[in-house]
Amino acid sequence: MTPNAWVVAMAGLLHDIGKFRQRARWSERRNHQYHGHQWVCDRILPHLTFLDVQARYQVAQAVLRHHEEGAYERDLRVVRLADGLASGERVRRQEEGVGDPSTELLLPVFSYLVLDGRGLAEADRHPWAYRTAALQVDDSFFPVYRSAARADYPRLWDAFEAAWRGLPDSAPTFHDPEAFTLTWLSLLRVYAWSVPAAAYKDEPDVSLADHLQVTGALAACLWELPDQALDALESDQDLPVALLVGGDVSGIQRFLYTISSAGAAKSLRGRSAYLNLLCDAVADHVRRELQLLPCNVLYSGGGHFYLLAPLSSEERLAGLRTHVTDLLLDFFGGDVSVVLECVELRASDLVPQPGASKSPLGERWADLSSRLRTAKQALLRDVALQASRKVFGPFGVGGRETYCAVCHSEPHQPEGLASRGLTRPVNLQAAEEADRKCSLCESFEDLSRRIARAQYLVVRRVQPRASGQLQWHSVLTALGTELWLNTEEELLQHHRPDDWVVRLNDPRLDPVDGGGQVVPVVGFRFLPNFTPFQDDGAIREMADLAQASDGAPYFATLRMDVDSLGRLFSEGLGGRLSLSRLATLSRSLSTFFEGYLNRICEQLDPDRAHLYLLYSGGDDLLAVGSWDVVLGLARTVREEFRRYVCDNPAVTLSGGTSLHHEKFPLYQAADQAGDLLEAAKAWRRDGREKDALNFWGQPVEWADLEWARGWHDTIRGWLRGGAQVRRAFVFKLARIASLYEARSRELARKGLLTEDQLRRRVRYDRWLWTLVYYLAKESAELQPQLERLRTELVDQDRIRHLGLLARWVELSTRDET
Ligand SMILES: [Zn+2]
């Protein structure tokens, strides 16, 4: 039997689906409850074998009557309250909106964000909207000018219906409420992401997909409240309604970056992807232990998850935290950890305060974030204490040569493994010392390779167990889940009927049809996996990527992330923040990093010879590759991101890129790019901050990068095109730059001058006369352009970036004379 809390959650997930159908069939002049009820009774409920007659009736009634005032049935009241609280309304709105929803478009939530007084003016916000389109891996989910977007709900609805009808009868979707929820959320994400949840008086910037999910999640939480509490909520009293639970799964720096050995470069992607798979698995574990449906996990990505849980879960959560923390400690000895915290949400917390600069929900959100941070710091301290004991403690029996060449752990470490019935042997038979790896490190290399080719993620429920050799999936198995990353061929070979098959990076749910076998797909997700391959199909080595650069044979790393993300969530929408809006905001951001980054890489590197996307998700990315292509990646990601967030100055991106010789260890390079990113975020000038790229150690504004690129291309063109300038010209520019830099340093050391005085003083120094002299000696034909260069360097203060420009040109023309 399906638990009652699940029945109301499903009613919540379905309650407003009629809004989608109503928009597609506007000429029928029926309200959305009618459309929803008819369709759900006709197309959904008859297929769900896990619902008994009573439960079907309850769901159907909730869809039909969720606007009815004074309904006494408990499930109707719960869905009605959940609907109101999800969209941030205590007292239900009554009427359908005026106007014609069949022509209305979803507006980008990004255009409303304001931070520290920065944001779009009303007039600049107005033109943006989303097209009504099914989710594709292209830019069709980017905002466009309203004049370029026309609503086409009939077509979108038809595609949605066809996708539902296309699920084979054998799909777990029809027999398992959890699988149904996953399928339903995936379908909504693909087909209803661009359908506005409500027209009404408010701006339609909340997606129906997110609103339905949040309503379902809240309904499950409200179900356990006593009747008096429901009465009180209906009469607008303030009471606690749910817990907002946050989880943070992270690898201590050591897990990701302090691993040496050239061949080990192949496991970095496996390690970072693992943290995300583990994050999903922990979120899933917590959810299942709390007996909630997948809709209650509001977000999981970038190593964080958030879920809504009933108030009664608090004690159980404490137990779960201990269980998961102990498990990870035994498996990884503190290198991978999880923190789990929660805050109580009151009804009043969910109600936006239009016009206010802050919302109570934003404050709860910030509160949860700070608890997670504190918990993480406490955990790091504990781990550091333990690690120091390890360093000073007696070494194991074997001596250095028995250590894993990648992670340096002794065989069968950490100590807790044995108590779990696991071992971590090091392959000491390997002829090459570099190949003496422990079972875990070997499994990460395997995971890296698998991610590159996987088309499906297969989820299989098993009895929690642990045995054998420690591998990346051991912890997941201990939590009761097996995960497989399969190609289509592998899937067809080893599929079992109860498996949940999730299609990767291709937003479709049609079944896999091969060799007379039909394998149902229950969901869809993104898993960025852009990988450079050699001719023999192996992943290219760093040295190859370095050699494939244009010019000097170096490789580069790039890390980027969204500036002030926590504050954007808690403060960016001011008083307008609601749970549904929060869900729309986080999902929209992750669609860019999880879904679109692969696409950008494909466009920049169609032959898959230069770029390796090690990680992208949540709000950040890590990539490596040929240095010139990595620079192109930084620019393109930034440009595309600006377009994605409607050019809103409140939503910015910073990055750090480093440059390395091919033999430099990748782990250290990736770690350094992280430090460079931090330095870019600390960048400040003329009242602006962040929103910068740390370019080989020097933070620059994005506009300065564009300036440097323009001149880089021009000068390289001169060098290549009939030797209008000689290579010595580049060295002259470098010399001027170093004169300037030396003088700036000297003046700065003396102190006393304000930044402004300093700039003025440096501006008319010796470098300037050297510049004038050098430029004048170049060919007459180039003089007009060189005059422009001189003006920009001097009058626009670009002289600060001349050193970078000279170095850039020097590197990209290294093999030319
Ligand atoms: Zn190892």
Side-chain angles (χ1 to χ4, degrees):
M1 213 188 97
T2 310
N4 275 317
W6 288 14
V7 175
V8 293
M10 267 182 261
L13 283 169
L14 292 164
H15 81 282
D16 262 350
I17 194 62
K19 287 194 172 160
F20 191 178
R21 193 169 187 256
Q22 182 196 36
R23 287 169 197 269
R25 300 178 166 212
W26 184 241
S27 61
E28 292 179 16
R29 298 282 156 192
R30 298 281 195 172
N31 65 21
H32 75 266
Q33 301 95 308
Y34 169 86
H35 276 288
H37 180 255
Q38 200 188 40
W39 189 74
V40 166
C41 289
D42 198 28
R43 295 292 166 82
I44 303 276
L45 296 175
H47 299 282
L48 304 185
T49 60
F50 53 84
L51 289 181
D52 58 21
V53 177
Q54 170 64 19
R56 284 180 206 194
Y57 177 76
Q58 281 177 279
V59 172
Q61 287 294 302
V63 175
L64 184 64
R65 296 168 54 202
H66 65 271
H67 280 240
E68 194 176 298
E69 284 287 331
Y72 66 90
E73 292 95 327
R74 197 162 207 288
D75 47 318
L76 290 190
R77 297 174 69 195
V78 164
V79 173
R80 201 156 61 87
L81 282 166
D83 179 20
L85 290 173
S87 48
E89 294 177 38
R90 292 292 299 285
V91 184
R92 274 229 56 94
R93 21 170 221 234
Q94 289 303 310
E95 339 74 75
E96 300 266 334
V98 283
D100 178 356
S102 70
T103 59
E104 186 182 55
L105 300 166
L106 181 70
L107 307 186
V109 67
F110 296 120
S111 66
Y112 294 92
L113 290 165
V114 177
L115 203 59
D116 300 328
R118 282 172 290 128
L120 290 179
E122 184 67 36
D124 297 330
R125 179 184 301 159
H126 189 71
W128 297 101
Y130 292 111
R131 284 167 279 203
T132 52
L135 187 64
Q136 297 276 333
V137 193
D138 56 21
D139 68 355
S140 58
F141 57 82
F142 275 50
V144 291
Y145 279 122
R146 275 189 214 207
S147 51
R150 207 176 50 80
D152 186 357
Y153 289 108
R155 206 161 63 126
L156 192 60
W157 174 261
D158 287 348
F160 171 68
E161 255 204 319
W164 171 255
R165 272 203 312 271
L167 299 168
D169 291 339
S170 61
T173 305
F174 302 123
H175 316 297
D176 170 353
E178 296 182 71
F180 165 76
T181 307
L182 182 67
T183 302
W184 184 247
L185 293 174
S186 292
L187 284 172
L188 290 175
R189 188 171 178 199
V190 176
Y191 297 99
W193 72 269
S194 63
V195 179
Y200 309 103
K201 291 166 213 135
D202 207 5
E203 292 91 342
D205 62 341
V206 171
S207 150
L208 181 63
D210 299 315
H211 176 62
L212 289 176
Q213 174 170 4
V214 171
T215 304
L218 269 175
C221 299
L222 296 182
W223 178 255
E224 66 164 26
L225 296 183
D227 286 340
Q228 307 90 290
L230 295 184
D231 293 344
L233 285 171
E234 291 210 68
S235 61
D236 212 18
Q237 293 176 37
D238 192 21
L239 292 175
V241 288
L243 297 175
L244 181 62
V245 181
D248 228 328
V249 174
S250 61
I252 308 300
Q253 207 75 343
R254 191 167 68 232
F255 173 75
L256 282 172
Y257 300 125
T258 46
I259 286 167
S260 51
S261 148
K266 290 183 172 144
S267 81
L268 185 52
R269 162 180 288 157
R271 282 168 187 270
S272 52
Y274 174 68
L275 289 179
N276 277 281
L277 294 174
L278 183 63
C279 178
D280 288 359
V282 171
D284 195 52
H285 177 73
V286 171
R287 167 188 80 70
R288 281 189 297 139
E289 291 292 314
L290 299 178
Q291 296 185 309
L292 297 166
L293 289 173
C295 56
N296 279 71
V297 180
L298 295 184
Y299 176 77
S300 174
H304 318 285
F305 65 83
Y306 296 96
L307 60 85
L308 277 183
L311 292 170
S312 63
S313 318
E314 196 156 1
E315 205 174 313
R316 185 87 191 86
L317 272 173
L320 285 169
R321 172 172 34 209
T322 312
H323 173 68
V324 178
T325 312
D326 288 354
L327 190 72
L328 291 181
L329 198 65
D330 282 349
F331 276 61
F332 297 110
D335 287 355
V336 177
S337 67
V338 63
V339 290
L340 202 60
E341 293 291 324
C342 69
V343 293
E344 203 174 77
L345 295 178
R346 302 179 71 86
S348 57
D349 291 333
L350 304 181
V351 182
Q353 316 280 320
S357 64
K358 282 185 169 178
S359 75
L361 179 59
E363 285 169 24
R364 292 292 82 71
W365 180 268
D367 185 15
L368 179 60
S369 306
S370 96
R371 286 186 196 201
L372 286 167
R373 260 195 313 278
T374 309
K376 217 164 155 175
Q377 280 158 2
L379 204 69
L380 278 171
R381 259 199 317 276
D382 292 351
V383 169
L385 281 175
Q386 254 183 7
S388 67
R389 275 203 299 278
K390 262 188 207 167
V391 171
F392 296 115
F395 281 107
V397 285
R400 283 236 163 252
E401 64 280 8
T402 66
Y403 285 35
C404 168
V406 179
C407 68
H408 309 306
S409 73
E410 286 180 75
H412 312 304
Q413 291 289 321
E415 279 150 20
L417 276 183
S419 67
R420 300 271 177 184
L422 285 152
T423 59
R424 185 180 182 173
V426 175
N427 176 13
L428 298 172
Q429 313 307 319
E432 297 287 329
E433 199 178 321
D435 291 333
R436 289 181 194 160
K437 297 169 196 163
C438 72
S439 58
L440 182 64
C441 288
E442 268 181 354
S443 80
F444 281 130
E445 290 186 21
D446 180 57
L447 179 60
S448 298
R449 285 190 295 271
R450 289 195 164 273
I451 288 171
R453 302 193 189 277
Q455 295 161 281
Y456 301 94
L457 179 73
V458 179
V459 182
R460 186 175 289 170
R461 301 295 179 204
V462 294
Q463 279 302 317
R465 62 184 149 78
S467 62
Q469 301 186 349
L470 180 68
Q471 296 187 326
W472 67 265
H473 43 75
S474 304
V475 174
L476 311 186
T477 321
L479 291 172
T481 301
E482 279 183 1
L483 280 191
W484 304 84
L485 284 152
N486 282 173
T487 60
E488 187 161 317
E489 206 181 344
E490 290 163 337
L491 175 73
L492 290 167
Q493 271 167 19
H494 102 292
H495 171 256
R496 292 187 201 161
D498 288 340
D499 287 349
W500 292 6
V501 178
V502 176
R503 184 174 271 119
L504 297 174
N505 299 329
D506 182 6
R508 291 182 297 124
L509 270 76
D510 34 324
V512 186
D513 200 339
Q517 209 192 155
V518 174
V519 176
V521 171
V522 304
F524 142 79
R525 65 166 286 166
F526 288 119
L527 184 71
N529 63 351
F530 191 86
T531 309
F533 292 116
Q534 289 168 199
D535 291 341
D536 65 1
I539 298 175
R540 295 190 91 177
E541 295 278 354
M542 278 308 109
D544 291 341
L545 299 180
Q547 293 293 339
S549 302
D550 201 7
Y554 294 142
F555 78 87
T557 58
L558 173 67
R559 291 182 78 179
M560 297 179 93
D561 76 13
V562 177
D563 297 320
S564 311
L565 186 73
R567 291 186 54 222
L568 276 177
F569 276 57
S570 60
E571 301 168 32
L573 287 166
R576 294 178 69 243
L577 193 66
S578 67
L579 268 181
S580 297
R581 210 163 257 134
L582 192 64
T584 294
L585 182 58
S586 52
R587 185 196 34 78
S588 305
L589 266 184
S590 68
T591 303
F592 181 86
F593 286 96
E594 290 177 5
Y596 197 62
L597 252 291
N598 255 351
R599 173 83 178 188
I600 292 178
C601 291
E602 274 162 20
Q603 283 168 346
L604 289 174
D605 185 18
D607 301 328
R608 295 183 178 258
H610 299 283
L611 280 178
Y612 193 10
L613 185 58
L614 290 169
Y615 170 74
S616 184
D619 75 313
D620 61 344
L621 70 94
L622 168 62
V624 292
S626 311
W627 68 268
D628 55 317
V629 188
V630 167
L631 266 185
L633 180 65
R635 285 184 53 232
T636 312
V637 169
R638 200 266 174 171
E639 253 168 41
E640 294 288 76
F641 186 73
R642 296 301 304 152
R643 189 159 71 89
Y644 190 60
V645 300
C646 313
D647 254 324
N648 186 338
V651 197
T652 57
L653 197 62
S654 291
T657 180
S658 58
L659 189 66
H660 303 283
H661 188 270
E662 61 176 53
K663 296 230 170 76
F664 193 80
L666 173 62
Y667 294 95
Q668 286 179 38
D671 201 13
Q672 277 185 15
D675 295 340
L676 294 179
L677 173 61
E678 288 314 308
K681 288 189 177 292
W683 180 88
R684 270 168 190 75
R685 191 181 170 87
D686 300 338
R688 294 189 306 278
E689 57 170 11
K690 304 185 179 177
D691 194 15
L693 175 72
N694 193 325
F695 191 169
W696 305 338
Q698 183 178 343
V700 299
E701 281 176 83
W702 292 99
D704 290 328
L705 175 67
E706 284 314 297
W707 173 84
R709 189 186 64 88
W711 280 109
H712 164 271
D713 292 358
T714 303
I715 298 169
R716 191 179 55 176
W718 290 344
L719 282 162
R720 285 178 178 173
Q724 286 166 297
V725 293
R726 282 206 301 269
R727 215 170 139 69
F729 175 68
V730 182
F731 296 112
K732 287 178 186 167
L733 293 182
R735 176 163 159 66
I736 297 162
S738 66
L739 281 174
Y740 164 80
E741 281 155 20
R743 182 64 176 147
S744 311
R745 271 197 304 274
E746 189 190 338
L747 283 176
R749 222 182 3 252
K750 287 183 185 156
L752 301 174
L753 298 178
T754 66
E755 196 181 338
D756 216 37
Q757 289 169 323
L758 191 73
R759 269 191 229 173
R760 266 203 304 275
R761 184 77 72 81
V762 178
R763 183 177 287 180
Y764 298 106
D765 206 72
R766 196 173 121 223
W767 64 268
L768 178 59
W769 314 119
T770 317
L771 174 74
V772 171
Y773 174 75
Y774 279 160
L775 295 186
K777 288 177 69 167
E778 297 299 331
S779 82
E781 150 194 13
L782 294 180
Q783 285 307 319
Q785 277 166 290
L786 291 172
E787 174 55 25
R788 182 165 66 85
L789 177 61
R790 194 191 62 82
T791 313
E792 289 174 5
L793 289 173
V794 180
D795 299 343
Q796 296 171 15
D797 207 23
R798 305 280 194 188
I799 178 68
R800 291 175 292 138
H801 307 304
L802 182 63
L804 205 57
L805 169 62
R807 185 152 182 235
W808 191 354
V809 177
E810 191 276 315
L811 287 174
S812 66
T813 57
R814 172 100 36 113
D815 48 2
E816 297 161 24
T817 46

